[in-house]
């Protein structure tokens, strides 16, 4: 852009897999976009020297986007903008101002348009009316079987986009084929985040006529919420199936059927207990479907060969990103949530847009 509308500072989340944290300065306001922790527990953005901000804006409720709220006292304890679905999961007493899951609103006088991100309950992308447009995707997916994705408006000059998978290209249909093959061999435990791909994978099995689906309390709560208060985030055809699934899923009681339980890495929740019980046993098979965090029980199980990893897409494939960049007519793209080593491949694929990981971008 460079027409003097402000600047965007990439504090964390670009150039290496790390917590999301970006600072948008425009119209005399300082808005932070996401404030995460991890993936490795205890990894926080370096907000030293940032000073007071006017607002924190949250894209969705995953830990690598909201886990850093303990840092807010160093940032002047600003108000938080988030959708009501995301706000419900934040610590009690948090000063939250609601954003719609879709439509136009404003943040401290800056016009913003939001849409559903196809990735998590209450999750959104944000398009700011600054210069010729700036979009922050947060995490997005156009492939979800469960979560609705609203295509962002065209003509957006600057795009900070979820490129978590770099140049990966497998469609979600091939994820399903691989997972179904695991499930045919016998009992299967899937450690999952309950507020993300957990309910989506359960729905895939349910729609393939599996009646032996077992879930922990976190998954059960998530399914009931999706059938009720979180249903705004669902694809139109998913609501009734999720409602039936919420009623049909049984509690986990021994190694049988398809079991889905949180947390995804075994550091907390029911999987922590189940790993202790089943790590030395032959059954059930254990399959991780998301990023395997180093230093967690998940990492140990995969390294020892007791568990397997196969990805279930919850981020865009390269072809999805190419299509999005073309439809936005973006002139500059900042690929987020992947390693700097991906930059040449992404630059080649996304041209003629300029692809950059520079720490500060003029708006
Ligand atoms: Zn996420």
């Amino acid at each position: 852009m460079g027409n003097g509308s402000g600047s965007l500072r990439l504090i964390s989340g670009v150039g290496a897999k790390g917590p999301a944290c970006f600072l948008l300065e425009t119209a005399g306001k300082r808005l932070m976009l996401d404030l995460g922790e991890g993936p490795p527990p205890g990894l926080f953005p370096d907000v030293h020297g940032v000073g007071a901000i006017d607002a924190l804006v949250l894209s969705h409720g995953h830990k690598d986007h909201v886990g850093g709220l303990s840092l807010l006292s160093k940032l002047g304890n600003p108000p938080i903008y988030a959708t009501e679905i995301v706000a419900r999961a934040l610590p009690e007493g948090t000063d939250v101002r609601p954003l719609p899951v879709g439509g136009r609103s404003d943040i401290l006088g800056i016009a913003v348009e939001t849409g559903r991100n196809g990735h998590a309950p209450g999750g959104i992308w944000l398009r700011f009316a600054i210069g010729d447009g700036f979009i922050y995707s947060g995490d997005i997916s156009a492939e979800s079987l469960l979560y609705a994705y609203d295509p962002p408006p065209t003509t957006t000059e600057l795009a900070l986009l979820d490129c978590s998978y770099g140049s990966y290209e497998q469609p979600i249909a091939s994820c399903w084929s691989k997972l179904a093959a695991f499930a045919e061999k016998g009992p299967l435990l899937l450690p999952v985040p309950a507020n993300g791909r957990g309910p989506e994978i359960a729905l895939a099995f349910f729609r393939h006529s599996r009646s032996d689906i077992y879930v922990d309390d976190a998954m059960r709560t998530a399914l009931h919420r999706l059938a009720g208060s979180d249903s705004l985030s669902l694809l139109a055809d998913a609501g009734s199936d999720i409602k039936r699934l919420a009623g049909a899923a049984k509690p986990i009681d021994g190694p049988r059927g398809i079991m889905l339980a949180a947390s995804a890495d075994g550091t907390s929740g029911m999987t922590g207990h189940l790993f202790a019980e089943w790590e030395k046993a032959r059954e059930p098979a254990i399959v991780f479907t998301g990023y395997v965090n180093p230093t967690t029980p998940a990492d140990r199980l995969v390294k020892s060969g007791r568990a397997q990893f196969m990805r279930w897409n919850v981020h865009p494939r390269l072809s999805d990103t190419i299509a999005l960049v073309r439809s936005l007519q973006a002139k500059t793209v900042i690929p987020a949530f992947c390693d700097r080593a991906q930059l040449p491949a992404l630059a080649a694929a996304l041209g003629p847009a300029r692809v950059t990981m520079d720490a500060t971008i003029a708006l």
Side-chain angles (χ1 to χ4, degrees):
M1 294 193 181
N3 56 6
S5 306
S7 69
L8 176 68
R9 199 166 130 198
L10 314 174
I11 296 173
S12 170
V14 170
K17 192 151 180 68
C21 184
F22 312 101
L23 184 66
L24 175 63
E25 300 192 72
T26 186
K29 297 285 191 266
R30 312 184 79 217
L31 308 185
M32 185 167 277
L33 310 178
D34 285 340
L35 183 55
E37 176 194 358
L43 178 64
F44 291 98
D46 180 8
V47 296
H48 182 81
V50 170
I53 60 170
D54 298 300
L56 170 64
V57 184
L58 299 177
S59 64
H60 67 295
H62 289 162
K63 200 172 180 185
D64 51 338
H65 293 257
V66 306
L69 298 190
S70 59
L71 300 172
L72 282 179
S73 58
K74 294 181 182 167
L75 299 164
N77 287 314
I80 298 175
Y81 286 77
T83 64
E84 283 173 13
I85 295 170
V86 168
R88 263 205 307 277
L90 298 178
E92 217 161 303
T94 311
D95 175 12
V96 181
R97 304 182 185 179
L99 284 173
V101 292
R104 291 170 195 275
S105 55
D106 87 272
I107 297 173
L108 302 176
I110 301 160
V112 65
E113 186 170 347
T114 53
R116 295 171 294 180
N117 66 4
H119 172 85
I124 51 172
W125 48 256
L126 299 117
R127 184 197 186 272
F128 295 87
I130 302 167
D132 292 314
F134 159 58
I135 188 167
Y136 171 47
S137 71
D139 289 348
I140 47 167
S141 173
E143 282 193 293
S144 177
L145 315 172
L146 175 62
Y147 301 109
Y149 169 71
D150 301 316
T154 54
T155 323
T156 298
E157 191 172 3
L158 176 64
L160 173 54
L161 299 183
D162 176 8
C163 290
S164 296
Y165 292 163
S167 46
Y168 167 84
E169 201 49 80
Q170 295 291 311
I172 203 162
S174 75
C175 303
W176 166 254
S177 305
K178 277 187 214 158
L179 195 54
F182 274 113
E184 272 165 27
K185 290 185 215 149
L188 175 63
L189 172 64
L190 299 168
V192 287
N195 65 345
R197 64 184 181 275
E200 182 178 0
I201 294 172
L203 177 65
F205 278 107
F206 188 64
R207 284 179 169 168
H208 283 84
S209 305
R210 291 290 299 231
S211 55
D212 53 345
I213 297 172
Y214 300 86
V215 297
D216 70 341
D217 288 345
M219 274 289 296
R220 180 173 306 283
T221 303
L223 288 170
H224 281 287
R225 284 208 182 121
L226 288 168
S229 55
D230 293 1
S231 61
L232 264 180
S233 289
L234 300 189
L235 286 166
D237 67 347
S240 59
D241 286 350
I242 280 289
K243 204 169 266 180
R244 288 195 297 130
L245 169 58
K250 296 175 273 257
I252 294 174
D253 174 26
R256 62 176 69 93
I258 312 294
M259 296 163 280
L260 298 108
S263 66
D265 60 12
T267 50
S268 63
M270 188 163 192
T271 51
H273 302 286
L274 294 179
F275 290 177
E277 201 178 324
W278 291 338
E279 184 164 357
K280 304 283 181 221
R282 291 171 59 93
E283 287 197 324
I286 301 173
V287 174
F288 294 97
T289 50
Y291 180 72
V292 176
N293 225 330
T295 77
T296 62
D299 188 52
R300 185 181 72 232
L301 266 67
V302 170
K303 284 193 174 135
S304 74
R306 175 63 183 86
Q308 323 285 316
F309 164 76
M310 58 138 289
R311 175 178 287 160
W312 180 272
N313 296 1
V314 294
H315 299 283
R317 298 165 297 170
L318 180 57
S319 55
D320 299 324
T321 305
I322 293 170
L324 176 58
V325 168
R326 290 205 179 129
S327 98
L328 292 170
Q329 301 170 51
K331 292 207 176 82
T332 302
V333 176
I334 306 157
F337 317 132
C338 62
D339 201 85
R340 188 169 290 277
Q342 298 278 350
L343 184 55
L346 291 169
L350 301 177
R354 182 174 75 101
V355 181
T356 176
M357 290 180 172
D358 288 354
T360 304
I361 316 280
L363 300 178

